[in-house]
RNA sequence: GCGGACAUGGCGGAACUGGCAGACGCGCCAGACUCAAAAUCUGGUUAUGGUGACAUAGUGUGGGUUCGAUUCCCACUGUCCGCACCA
């Protein structure tokens, strides 16, 4: 054993050994633990220290569970289809297939530097034919079950990516990928009925051990609301307008109605005098981008000339058209109660429409409203709800209206169906064929995968058509049903398609008969721990849950939630902002590994701050853990042959260390795990120095505890201290709690809540003894004062209250 | 606008269910070793006053509950995040 910690040689040696003999072996006698990272998209810029954070954490968890006697599935793969990969290819003028391959090679090299226990025999790649065959297979099942449908509607269109976007990809009216402003384009697209699953996606959140923040984001995104649909007759016609409202209690306060510009009754009810203005308005609304439409501060709108009839009191109220009403939520039409809704209030003020108050705030005089009142209160001017409070009426109104045949109780969701087709080359072809006789026909399973053809020109077009549409030899095919000439669907799937189910494939990655065998799925799934960034809270994580529930429904899997526990690691910032190439603040792990070694960097990644919180990267901080590992090396080098019988002291330190490290690791507060290592190692070294030797088991347990964090040095020292084989074949030590008791305790003494002295006293002392001793110690400070109260919290504190 | 999270030394951060604030690390200062430097080791490091043991103040601001508050409650300020006309 060398007296110096030669990390480079040690790490090289053990990495080679572990490549030959992986420490993680399958053993069906053991319980399973599936620890998964959100698989990366193979980016051209490679990994930085921020990426390491999550990968190190999941590896530490995997190795810890391994030592606890589990068989571990800890796989890695590539999310390689989709816009990021394709945009990178276009930018560098390389075919996406070529650039993706090169990027994977580079990122894979970097991942090896982490020395994680990935099972590379299970590596997957969403762009492999053997993989996307099953991505298509799942789509085919959805199509058969009626969950995939085609619809023409105004969609989010990114002019830079030249592609439609799902709602989840266009939050704030900005393209999730490139940051361009999203416009609207009327297109015929494939949709997935994720809304069929809205209720289950919402309710089952309760089952999940996920960060509350992510659950809340999902439930807000699903956006369930309770209310009523109410029918308003259009005066002088036989038509009726159905509105959705969450405040049916305020029905008597409705003074006008608003239809969205896209509402199909707009044309039919508009009077001739108003027709020109309404048509102009609707045309303008249709050309506005969603950003413009949202960012308009002033409300706009036009009167249709028609009137609706309030079903409760037959009052005639004007019907307007305004773009603040969304076509695709509720019924696309609303009743407006300006007295009790902020938006309606603003609109009424601007267009001088009447305001009728139907809720009187409690303990307040009636006065003219200067803003909408949305709180609770007493119902007024509302015969049907006489004597109720507003919130009471809100509860009861849907039912009351239903009984009267004026409306019905309704539930609405903000969640929209998932726009599933993309006008891009680099994605899974949608396995459908359009036949002039048979209509849209799904490609039979035995003809899957529908392969992505190799093309010269993969760049997106401006027409809203995929580049695939230009390849006649690929587009023209025969109908699987009638054998006649037919055309292939030319859109591809969005980048989320593969990642919505990839975690299943790891269980059985080479299966060409099924997406994964029943046995393999039963053995490994669901995922026990999922580690990744919070940016996928409503994208990938929602889609993956939807896919899993669908596969559960058709009997492919026997669980309906894919990820039991989710951990979101925080971002690592540099100089106060997110690392990015353009800011030039990217810290590469490669250099740090060279300078300090993999073990030091792993440990520092965990030490830099609480893992769920964003942290600031400081290069000099790694010196601390590097020094620590050198201290460990020197400690063991010095004392490995100086065994000393266990003492009360050494037992106490050893067992507190085991107890604390385990507790802190279970809580995933890894920064305190590392500080614990430093603290307890120092204490051990002090003991060893004092008695010139140390109980061998102290060293052994320290090394096993260190193994998940710094595997190379732990293994090297394990071998150097005369142990055969892998340290990962040992097991995680258990603290002997009986060794944690002490004879003498130190109790802080306070006077009036302020710390004054410490009292050392036998741990068995009773209250009287402690208080008597305490007063003795504090005697000079208590002289001349009157004791009002004496407080003793056993083993914690003494507080004497004086006047 | 609505909703959520957070606020502790020069810096990153500890403090379990209310009980010695500042663990651990970085940085800095001093000392040891050295011809010297690096590395390493030892000690110090919230502020103010004092040679000193010690005293006083102190966890964004103002209040409250309590013997005792970084921790609980109320109001405010600031930072970050999510949603954003969802009727």
């Amino acid at each position: 054993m060398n007296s110096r910690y030669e990390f480079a040689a040690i790490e090289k040696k053990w990495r080679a050994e572990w490549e030959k003999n992986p420490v993680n072996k399958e053993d069906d006698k053991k319980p399973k633990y599936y620890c998964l990272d959100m698989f990366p998209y193979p980016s051209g810029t490679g990994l930085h220290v921020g990426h390491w954070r999550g990968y190190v954490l999941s590896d530490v968890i995997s190795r810890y569970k391994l030592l606890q006697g589990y068989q571990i599935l800890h796989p890695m793969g590539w999310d390689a289809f989709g816009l990021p990969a394709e945009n990178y290819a276009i930018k560098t003028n390389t075919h996406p297939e070529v650039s993706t391959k090169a990027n994977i090679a580079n990122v894979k090299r970097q991942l090896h530097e982490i020395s994680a226990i990935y099972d590379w025999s299970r590596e997957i790649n969403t762009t492999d034919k053997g993989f996307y065959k099953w991505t298509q297979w799942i789509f085919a099942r959805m199509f058969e079950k009626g969950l995939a449908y085609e619809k023409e509607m105004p969609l989010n269109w990114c002019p830079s990516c030249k592609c439609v976007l799902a709602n989840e990809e266009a939050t704030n009216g900005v393209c999730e990928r490139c940051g361009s402003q999203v416009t609207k384009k009327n297109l015929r697209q494939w949709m997935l009925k994720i809304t069929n699953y809205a209720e289950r996606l919402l309710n089952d959140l309760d089952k999940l051990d996920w960060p509350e923040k992510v659950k809340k984001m999902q439930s807000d995104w699903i956006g369930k609301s309770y209310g009523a649909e109410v029918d308003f007759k259009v005066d002088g016609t036989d038509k009726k307008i159905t509105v959705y409202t969450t405040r049916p209690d305020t029905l008597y306060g409705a003074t006008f109605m608003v239809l969205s510009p896209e509402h199909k009754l707009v044309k039919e009810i508009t009077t001739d005098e108003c027709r020109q203005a309404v048509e102009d308005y609707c045309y303008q609304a249709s050309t506005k981008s969603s950003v413009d439409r949202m960012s308009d501060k002033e409300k706009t709108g036009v009167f249709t000339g028609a009137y609706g009839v309030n079903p409760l009191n037959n009052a005639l109220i004007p019907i307007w058209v305004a773009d603040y009403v969304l076509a695709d939520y509720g019924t696309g039409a609303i009743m407006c109660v300006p007295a009790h809704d902020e938006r309606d209030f603003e609109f009424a003020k601007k267009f001088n429409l009447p305001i009728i108050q139907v809720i009187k705030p409690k303990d307040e005089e009636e006065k003219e409203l200067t803003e909408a009142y949305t709180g609770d209160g007493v119902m007024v001017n509302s015969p049907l709800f006489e004597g109720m409070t507003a919130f009471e009426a809100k509860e009861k109104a849907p039912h009351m209206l239903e009984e009267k045949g004026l409306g019905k109780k309704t539930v609405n969701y903000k969640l929209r169906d998932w726009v599933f087709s993309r006008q891009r080359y680099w994605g899974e072809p949608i396995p459908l064929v359009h036949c002039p006789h048979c209509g849209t026909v799904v490609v039979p399973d035995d003809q899957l995968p529908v392969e992505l053809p190799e093309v010269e020109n993969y760049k997106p077009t401006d027409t809203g058509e995929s580049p695939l549409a230009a390849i006649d030899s690929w587009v023209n095919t025969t109908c699987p049903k009638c054998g006649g000439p037919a055309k292939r669907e030319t859109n591809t799937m969005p980048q989320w398609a593969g990642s919505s189910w990839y975690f299943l494939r790891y269980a059985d990655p080479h299966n060409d008969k099924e997406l994964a065998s029943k046995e393999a799925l039963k053995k490994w799934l669901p995922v026990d721990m999922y580690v990744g960034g919070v940016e996928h809270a409503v994208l990938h994580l929602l889609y993956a849950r939807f896919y899993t529930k669908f596969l559960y429904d058709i009997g492919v899997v026997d669980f309906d939630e894919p990820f039991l526990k989710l951990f979101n690691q925080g971002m690592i910032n540099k100089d106060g902002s997110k690392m990015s190439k353009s800011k030039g603040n990217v810290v590469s792990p490669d250099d740090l590994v060279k300078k300090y070694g993999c073990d030091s960097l792993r440990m520092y990644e965990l030490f830099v701050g609480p893992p769920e919180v964003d942290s600031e990267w400081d290069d000099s901080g790694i010196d601390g853990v590097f020094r620590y590992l050198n201290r460990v090396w020197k400690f063991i080098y010095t004392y490995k042959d100086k065994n000393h019988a266990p003492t009360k002291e050494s037992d106490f330190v050893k067992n507190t260390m085991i107890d604390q490290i385990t507790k802190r690791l279970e809580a995933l507060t890894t920064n305190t795990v590392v500080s614990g290592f430093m603290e307890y190692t120092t204490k051990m070294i002090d003991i060893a120095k004092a008695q010139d030797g140390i109980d061998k088991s102290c060293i052994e347990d320290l090394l096993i505890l260190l193994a998940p964090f710094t595997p190379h040095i732990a293994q090297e020292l394990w071998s150097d201290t005369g142990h055969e084989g892998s340290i990962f074949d040992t097991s995680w030590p258990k603290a002997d709690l009986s060794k944690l008791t002490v004879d003498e305790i130190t109790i802080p003494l306070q006077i009036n809540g302020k710390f004054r002295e410490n009292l050392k006293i036998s741990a068995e002392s009773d209250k009287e003894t402690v208080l008597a001793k305490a007063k003795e110690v504090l005697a000079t400070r208590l002289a001349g004062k009157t004791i009002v109260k004496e407080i003793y919290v056993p083993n914690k504190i003494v507080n004497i209250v004086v006047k």
Side-chain angles (χ1 to χ4, degrees):
Chain A
M1 180 183 180
N2 202 316
S3 68
R4 286 188 50 186
Y5 169 40
E6 308 275 7
F7 62 85
I10 293 167
E11 290 178 2
K12 193 174 164 197
K13 169 177 149 195
W14 288 109
R15 198 168 294 168
E17 163 65 21
W18 290 332
E19 225 140 89
K20 269 188 283 162
N21 298 308
V23 298
N24 178 27
K25 301 172 217 47
E26 265 187 78
D27 179 354
D28 287 340
K29 289 192 289 295
K30 296 175 173 176
K32 70 95 178 175
Y33 192 85
Y34 185 176
C35 181
L36 182 66
D37 292 287
M38 289 185 185
F39 67 159
Y41 127 75
S43 96
T45 47
L47 304 177
H48 55 63
V49 292
H51 296 107
W52 265 58
R53 197 180 201 190
Y55 298 142
V56 169
L57 181 67
S58 67
D59 189 56
V60 166
I61 296 168
S62 299
R63 288 174 184 266
Y64 166 60
K65 288 288 173 183
L66 179 65
L67 282 165
Q68 281 198 322
Y70 289 84
Q71 56 171 339
I72 307 298
L73 179 56
H74 187 45
M76 188 41 83
W78 314 103
D79 188 17
F81 264 141
L83 281 180
E86 189 174 347
N87 286 346
Y88 177 83
I90 291 168
K91 211 173 106 197
T92 55
N93 207 16
T94 344
H95 194 282
E97 199 170 339
V98 176
S99 65
T100 300
K101 221 176 209 167
N103 292 347
I104 287 177
N106 182 44
V107 175
K108 194 169 173 180
R109 176 192 62 77
Q110 285 191 301
L111 278 175
H112 272 108
E113 295 288 305
I114 298 175
S115 275
I117 55 169
Y118 299 130
D119 181 351
W120 287 108
S121 74
R122 293 175 186 268
E123 176 180 359
I124 59 168
N125 179 338
T126 54
T127 67
D128 283 346
K129 295 181 182 82
F131 183 92
Y132 73 71
K133 170 178 180 176
W134 300 105
T135 312
Q136 292 176 338
W137 183 89
I138 296 171
F139 179 88
R141 300 292 83 75
M142 287 191 173
F143 180 81
E144 285 166 359
K145 294 281 172 191
L147 283 174
Y149 67 99
E150 225 181 348
K151 188 181 175 189
E152 181 169 329
M153 58 186 273
L155 289 169
N156 302 308
W157 173 264
C158 175
S160 159
C161 298
K162 296 178 182 174
C163 189
V164 299
L165 300 175
N167 247 23
E168 289 81 4
E169 294 169 304
T171 53
N172 293 319
V174 167
C175 173
E176 191 254 342
R177 266 298 142 205
C178 69
S180 313
Q181 284 209 351
V182 172
T183 61
K184 288 276 173 188
K185 198 159 183 163
N186 221 26
L187 286 166
R188 199 170 174 76
Q189 292 298 323
W190 284 97
M191 312 282 290
L192 293 185
K193 265 191 203 161
I194 190 172
T195 52
N196 276 18
Y197 286 79
E199 192 63 27
R200 285 163 68 189
L201 288 168
L202 182 66
N203 291 338
D204 291 348
L205 287 171
D206 288 342
K207 297 200 255 188
L208 302 176
D209 183 4
W210 283 20
E212 284 309 312
K213 180 189 162 125
V214 175
K215 290 204 216 179
K216 185 160 193 322
M217 279 169 74
Q218 289 215 354
S219 83
D220 284 353
W221 189 261
I222 295 166
K224 184 177 187 177
S225 69
Y226 300 87
E229 283 184 2
V230 185
D231 293 336
F232 284 67
K233 283 195 181 108
V234 181
D235 189 43
T237 72
D238 56 354
K239 297 182 172 48
K240 62 169 192 184
I241 295 171
T242 305
V243 304
Y244 172 69
T245 177
T246 55
R247 295 297 303 270
D249 52 311
T250 63
L251 190 45
Y252 287 98
T255 55
F256 58 100
M257 305 175 70
V258 177
L259 305 183
S260 74
E262 296 86 0
H263 197 281
K264 60 181 189 301
L265 282 179
V266 170
K267 270 189 190 137
E268 299 177 30
I269 63 167
T270 300
T271 60
D272 291 339
E273 303 85 74
C274 298
R275 188 165 306 280
Q276 191 59 47
V278 170
E279 274 175 9
D280 288 351
Y281 183 82
C282 291
Y283 173 74
Q284 275 184 13
S286 72
T287 57
K288 264 196 225 173
S289 78
S290 51
V291 170
D292 293 340
R293 208 164 143 167
M294 283 191 301
S295 64
D296 274 348
K297 286 195 189 89
E298 283 262 313
K299 295 233 175 329
T300 60
V302 289
F303 179 42
T304 61
Y307 288 85
V309 183
N310 187 326
L312 281 185
N313 58 10
N314 292 324
L316 289 187
I317 57 177
I319 303 172
W320 287 62
V321 174
D323 68 3
Y324 80 91
V325 175
L326 306 174
D328 55 357
Y329 179 78
T331 60
I334 59 170
M335 67 170 202
C336 298
V337 185
H340 306 294
D341 181 282
E342 282 162 29
R343 294 147 304 182
D344 299 345
F345 185 85
E346 198 191 317
F347 196 83
K349 279 284 172 198
K350 176 156 181 194
F351 294 104
N352 234 341
L353 293 157
I355 298 171
I356 298 174
Q357 211 175 334
V358 292
I359 300 167
K360 191 168 79 74
K362 277 182 188 132
D363 313 321
E364 261 186 53
E365 294 301 307
E366 233 170 304
K367 58 177 184 207
E368 202 188 328
L369 291 173
T370 51
E371 56 178 3
Y373 177 75
T374 54
D376 201 3
V378 183
M379 300 304 302
V380 294
N381 303 325
S382 302
L384 186 62
F385 308 121
E386 190 73 48
M388 294 185 192
T389 67
F391 288 1
E392 217 183 311
K394 183 179 161 187
E395 282 291 312
K396 291 180 179 160
H399 189 65
M400 293 167 79
L401 293 170
E402 205 166 303
E403 276 187 336
K404 286 182 169 294
L406 302 176
K408 62 174 192 201
K409 211 171 163 173
T410 316
V411 163
N412 254 303
Y413 301 92
K414 288 188 197 175
L415 184 71
R416 311 294 150 91
D417 277 340
W418 178 7
V419 184
F420 197 69
S421 40
R422 297 289 181 278
Q423 298 67 54
R424 296 291 293 241
Y425 169 70
W426 195 237
E428 303 87 346
I430 293 178
L432 293 174
V433 165
H434 302 283
C435 170
H437 296 291
C438 313
T440 305
V441 180
V442 67
V443 175
D445 291 353
D446 59 12
Q447 291 173 35
L448 295 179
V450 175
E451 292 189 18
L452 186 62
E454 285 180 24
V455 292
E456 283 293 304
N457 188 10
Y458 49 82
K459 288 184 182 157
T461 67
D462 282 310
T463 58
E465 276 209 71
S466 151
L468 294 180
I471 311 170
D472 289 342
S473 60
W474 185 81
V475 172
N476 292 312
T477 182
T478 51
C479 171
K481 230 181 202 170
C482 69
K487 288 186 187 302
R488 287 194 190 282
E489 168 67 39
T490 58
N491 281 312
T492 54
M493 298 189 198
Q495 68 177 113
W496 312 104
S499 60
S500 293
W501 73 278
Y502 78 107
F503 45 90
L504 304 174
R505 186 68 176 172
Y506 282 130
D508 193 9
H510 309 295
N511 194 329
D512 58 359
K513 305 276 184 301
E514 302 164 275
L515 63 84
S517 76
K518 279 254 189 266
E519 303 78 65
L521 289 171
K522 203 171 183 65
K523 175 171 171 185
W524 291 113
L525 273 292
V527 174
D528 295 286
M529 169 63 90
Y530 199 22
V531 178
V534 75
E535 65 272 16
H536 295 116
V538 287
L539 288 156
H540 161 60
L541 288 172
L542 189 65
Y543 297 149
R545 294 183 62 220
F546 162 52
Y547 263 54
T548 303
K549 288 182 187 305
F550 171 72
L551 293 171
Y552 172 79
D553 288 350
I554 62 168
V556 173
V557 299
D558 59 5
F559 49 90
D560 65 351
E561 282 293 341
F563 315 121
L564 300 179
K565 186 173 169 71
L566 173 71
F567 187 86
N568 289 131
Q569 90 273 14
M571 259 183 349
I572 289 195
N573 297 327
K574 181 80 210 277
D575 308 324
S577 55
K578 190 178 168 173
M579 284 186 203
S580 74
K581 213 177 173 185
S582 59
K583 287 200 197 90
N585 62 350
V586 175
V587 181
S588 160
D590 299 16
D591 305 337
L592 293 167
V593 168
K594 249 183 224 123
K595 192 165 168 202
Y596 299 96
C598 167
D599 283 340
S600 289
L601 183 55
R602 284 172 63 104
M603 198 168 224
Y604 184 54
E605 290 276 351
L606 299 165
F607 188 51
V608 73
E612 73 280 7
V613 173
D614 290 357
S615 296
E616 172 74 18
W617 186 266
D618 175 8
D619 266 348
S620 63
I622 196 175
D623 283 318
V625 292
F626 183 66
R627 282 175 200 147
Y628 167 70
L629 291 180
N630 276 285
R631 272 203 304 279
V632 170
W633 184 272
K634 209 172 130 192
F635 166 49
I636 289 171
Y637 177 79
T638 312
Y639 292 102
K640 70 185 173 101
D641 299 321
K642 294 187 179 177
N643 189 29
H644 187 285
T647 59
K648 216 162 194 167
E649 260 190 309
S650 73
D651 274 348
F652 179 75
V653 170
K654 183 181 85 176
N655 286 290
T656 342
M657 171 177 77
I658 297 169
D659 184 49
Q660 283 299 312
I661 298 289
T662 307
K663 277 185 183 148
R664 295 175 189 187
L665 181 53
E666 285 286 340
L668 293 176
T669 55
T670 57
N671 52 328
T672 63
V673 171
V674 177
S675 72
F677 272 126
M678 294 170 169
E679 200 182 332
Y680 298 116
T681 306
T682 304
K683 285 186 177 156
M684 265 186 207
I685 294 174
D686 288 345
I687 292 172
K689 271 185 188 160
Q691 56 189 30
D692 194 35
I694 188 87
D695 170 18
K696 196 170 100 196
S697 76
C698 283
I699 289 180
E700 285 171 339
D701 287 346
L702 172 64
L703 290 177
I704 298 173
L705 294 180
L706 277 171
F709 300 87
T710 55
H712 311 87
I713 187 175
Q715 176 67 60
E716 175 70 15
L717 290 171
W718 186 252
S719 303
D720 285 345
T721 47
H723 299 90
E724 294 284 320
S726 168
I727 193 169
F728 292 97
D729 288 338
T730 65
S731 55
W732 190 258
K734 275 205 173 65
D736 179 350
L737 299 178
S738 70
K739 306 283 188 198
L740 299 186
T741 54
V742 285
D743 303 337
E744 197 183 54
I745 53 170
T746 305
I747 298 178
L749 307 179
Q750 299 182 333
I751 297 177
N752 287 346
K754 280 210 161 70
F755 169 75
R756 291 303 165 193
E757 307 274 347
N758 274 321
L759 173 67
K760 283 195 174 166
I761 196 162
S762 154
E764 267 104 60
S765 315
D766 60 6
K767 183 176 175 176
E768 280 67 37
T769 320
V770 172
L771 283 175
K773 277 271 183 199
K775 278 184 279 188
E776 213 178 297
V777 170
L778 296 171
T780 49
R781 297 171 186 277
L782 292 172
K785 307 253 168 69
T786 320
I787 295 176
V788 182
K789 204 171 179 181
E790 296 169 7
I791 290 148
Y792 174 55
V793 183
N795 300 335
K796 280 245 170 97
I797 205 150
V798 170
N799 188 15
I800 312 276
V801 185
V802 297
K803 252 200 260 182

